[in-house]
Amino acid sequence: RGGLKEQVAVPASAGEVARDSSLVPVYPGETMIFEDLLYSLMVRSGNDAANAVAVLVSGSVDNFVDAMNSKAQALGMQNTHFTNPHGYHDPAHYTTARDILTLCLAAIANADFVRIAAARAYTLPPNNRRGELTISHQYELFNPLSRHYYPGAWGIKSGYTRPAGFCYAGAAIRGDSSLIAVVLNCRTRLQAWDDLKRLFNYSLAVQAVPGAAAR
């Protein structure tokens, strides 16, 4: 929903997030193209951007959350329930690794999603409220100089709250194989990278066995 190149004004909901939220930041009244908000959400994990997207798409955060839950059920995510568009902790906001995998498999069918989710940096152009802003993430999974590097890794999304720990839905390409792995409740992001690498390598090993299939 929504045109990627459509010019939008950031709604007041962008400022209606918890004080310790991850922020881009974007500000109510700021104008940008809709696609910039999506990069802000995926690259910077901005809760403010998530709220803005929700209102621009569905008219209110509550309406968007209802749509999220309807989509989750339609995809077969039977153990998932959303209460907000950004993942800030709420006792009634929950999911599972399998359900996140289901969501990822649906999402990567969209080429625009893949392009945005694979970005490690993005420059937001200047607008009516601020100057140029470059956002990025520096995850060891993508750094060839790190022991946590995994060749072919390209995304998809991180998340962290104290109750949930560090979480990551990761994707990689090795030869003809496209891999997705999901880790939840890791003590540190370094543990997440190690577990992702083990899952990726396990999948490749299973696929190498004649007649076997890994998921």
Side-chain angles (χ1 to χ4, degrees):
R1 301 182 187 180
L4 293 183
K5 302 303 182 182
E6 179 184 354
Q7 190 82 7
V8 298
V10 175
S13 61
E16 298 167 356
V17 294
R19 295 182 64 182
D20 60 343
S21 285
S22 173
L23 303 175
V24 179
V26 293
Y27 304 100
E30 186 175 338
T31 57
M32 61 177 64
I33 63 170
F34 186 67
E35 185 176 57
D36 287 349
L37 276 175
L38 299 182
Y39 275 104
S40 298
L41 170 63
M42 295 298 289
V43 176
R44 187 64 186 89
S45 294
N47 291 3
D48 46 357
N51 269 12
V53 168
V55 171
L56 290 168
V57 169
S58 296
S60 73
V61 169
D62 288 343
N63 287 345
F64 189 79
V65 171
D66 288 343
M68 291 171 69
N69 284 315
S70 295
K71 185 67 173 182
Q73 290 303 305
L75 291 174
M77 299 167 62
Q78 298 179 358
N79 296 302
T80 293
H81 181 261
F82 299 117
T83 60
N84 60 59
H86 42 64
Y88 193 88
H89 178 67
D90 184 298
H93 189 112
Y94 55 83
T95 190
T96 66
R98 179 176 288 277
D99 279 3
I100 293 295
L101 171 64
T102 298
L103 181 58
C104 288
L105 290 172
I108 64 174
N110 184 302
D112 290 319
F113 176 86
V114 171
R115 172 173 52 83
I116 295 170
R120 298 172 200 171
Y122 185 76
T123 298
L124 299 167
N127 60 27
N128 62 318
R129 293 292 304 275
R130 54 154 178 80
E132 182 179 277
L133 174 64
T134 297
I135 53 178
S136 65
H137 59 72
Q138 305 294 330
Y139 292 149
E140 295 84 358
L141 186 70
F142 308 116
N143 182 358
L145 301 180
S146 171
R147 74 174 185 85
H148 301 284
Y149 175 62
Y150 195 84
W154 63 263
I156 299 174
K157 187 70 184 71
S158 66
Y160 172 82
T161 65
R162 183 171 295 178
F166 187 80
C167 306
Y168 199 81
I173 296 174
R174 279 292 185 89
D176 295 330
S177 297
S178 295
L179 311 171
I180 297 178
V182 179
V183 293
L184 307 177
N185 197 27
C186 298
R187 292 185 300 274
T188 68
R189 75 184 192 186
L190 298 183
Q191 178 195 345
W193 308 148
D194 288 342
D195 287 348
L196 279 170
K197 289 167 66 175
R198 292 187 184 99
L199 289 167
F200 287 151
N201 290 336
Y202 172 77
S203 180
L204 289 170
V206 171
Q207 291 180 44
V209 176
R215 181 179 174 87

